[in-house]
Amino acid sequence: MGSQILVVEDDDRIADLIARNLEAAGFTCLMASHGDQALGEFTRSRPALVVLDLGLAGIDGLEVTRRMRRESDVPILMVTARSAESDKLLGLEVGADDYITKPFSTAELIARVRALLRRSSGQLAEFDLLYFLAARPGRVFSREALMEHVWGSERVVDERSIDSLVSRLRRKLERDPASPAYLQTVWGAGYRLMTPA
Ligand code: CA
């Protein structure tokens, strides 16, 4: 049996499409169509990954993400119809690991799911990034440079993965992850790690 994936989507047609494609790729799907059901199923089944529609009736996707994140480090791929950058950033900030925007291709969905599962099975990624930055306090590195220096030719991460790793680290390091004192964004340039003064 392949990894269990919880699909949370209130549009039956899209839920069905996602499930069929994931199952064709060898995964097993659990389905939920609203937030309460998703949280119940999540606690009961402890899936390997969650594909979560951001726009749900009732408890919305952001709140579902927040609550799952309180209990677990499960990879969360959010699905959003909204193209506003702020929604994606908010989603990443409350704990989603990656996002996919509707309409998406099956190939992209499967690739993102696989990448997240690969990353969560190799928990080292966050540590590698922190270790690299902590050894070079105050220096700014672009995402490209971080991919190159931290992971080299393995390329297990892409630019979005860097952003989600940074979000994860901030939730662990920062008193207020929304205005980081240590792991800072330098707009247009990249990230740097400041050491406590
Ligand atoms: Ca929806």
Side-chain angles (χ1 to χ4, degrees):
M1 194 173 76
S3 301
Q4 267 198 331
I5 296 180
L6 174 59
V7 177
V8 188
E9 169 62 78
D10 58 356
D11 181 326
D12 289 346
R13 205 174 36 90
I14 296 172
D16 195 57
L17 182 74
I18 292 175
R20 261 189 293 129
N21 284 299
L22 288 173
E23 282 172 0
F27 299 106
T28 305
C29 293
L30 302 160
M31 310 303 289
S33 58
H34 57 82
D36 288 305
Q37 193 187 3
L39 291 166
E41 191 60 58
F42 177 71
T43 305
R44 215 170 14 255
S45 311
R46 292 290 162 180
L49 181 140
V50 180
V51 175
L52 174 71
D53 181 24
L54 202 59
L56 295 172
I59 306 176
D60 75 6
L62 288 176
E63 185 56 27
V64 171
T65 303
R66 257 185 222 110
R67 294 196 200 174
M68 285 182 180
R69 192 51 81 224
R70 257 182 244 148
E71 294 181 38
S72 124
D73 237 9
V74 67
I76 300 175
L77 175 63
M78 59 181 169
V79 179
T80 173
R82 310 171 196 182
S83 52
E85 196 63 19
S86 61
D87 284 330
K88 292 169 193 165
L89 293 177
L90 198 55
L92 293 174
E93 208 166 89
V94 299
D97 295 282
D98 200 358
Y99 61 85
I100 194 165
T101 307
K102 293 175 186 172
F104 50 82
S105 73
T106 305
E108 188 184 4
L109 170 71
I110 302 294
R112 299 231 162 257
V113 164
R114 289 214 170 108
L116 285 177
L117 287 173
R118 227 176 12 248
R119 216 185 326 137
S120 77
S121 65
Q123 287 290 339
L124 284 177
E126 277 173 42
F127 178 77
D128 291 344
L129 177 60
L130 182 60
Y131 185 84
F132 178 82
L133 289 170
R136 296 156 185 86
R139 275 181 63 188
V140 181
F141 294 93
S142 67
R143 294 178 182 86
E144 185 64 35
L146 288 172
M147 288 189 289
E148 189 65 37
H149 290 304
V150 182
W151 291 279
S153 57
E154 291 171 54
R155 283 306 165 119
V156 292
V157 294
D158 57 17
E159 297 204 2
R160 279 207 235 178
S161 316
I162 300 274
D163 296 339
S164 97
L165 285 171
V166 165
S167 301
R168 260 174 195 257
L169 282 170
R170 280 178 177 155
R171 290 197 300 277
K172 291 174 182 171
L173 298 174
E174 304 284 350
R175 185 167 299 155
D176 177 9
S179 58
Y182 304 122
L183 186 40
Q184 298 178 341
T185 300
V186 180
W187 292 107
Y191 294 111
R192 69 178 169 198
L193 188 76
M194 305 304 286
T195 47

